[in-house]
Amino acid sequence: MAFGKKNQAEIVEEETKIWVCKSDDCNCWMRDNFRTDEEAICPICGNEMEASSKVLQVVENNSLYYKS
């Protein structure tokens, strides 16, 4: 018997498009599917952001404001 052992759901990860702040003083990044504006502007410092990618856990954006 194994007490306290729960069935864990598998964590699915995939290559995800993200936006990274270009400022050296800011380490902000955000997933592309959570971006609300066409222009990628850092929500923290207001500088431009550049496209990149990162292997992340899959998260769906169910927001009404998201436009694919």
Side-chain angles (χ1 to χ4, degrees):
M1 278 207 299
F3 292 103
K5 191 167 188 169
K6 298 179 182 177
N7 290 336
Q8 298 279 331
E10 182 181 344
I11 296 174
V12 179
E13 294 183 336
E14 68 179 19
E15 189 82 16
T16 306
K17 182 177 180 182
I18 63 170
W19 292 89
V20 180
C21 183
K22 288 184 173 182
S23 172
D24 293 334
D25 298 328
C26 183
N27 62 354
C28 181
W29 63 270
M30 68 176 129
R31 294 171 185 260
D32 184 61
N33 65 337
F34 281 84
R35 186 172 57 126
T36 56
D37 298 326
E38 280 298 314
E39 290 185 40
I41 302 296
C42 179
I44 305 298
C45 68
N47 285 315
E48 290 183 18
M49 300 182 90
E50 62 186 353
S52 186
S53 64
K54 191 183 256 195
V55 176
L56 298 170
Q57 181 176 351
V58 175
V59 176
E60 295 297 323
N61 184 356
N62 297 322
S63 173
L64 295 175
Y65 301 108
Y66 173 64
K67 297 176 184 172
S68 52

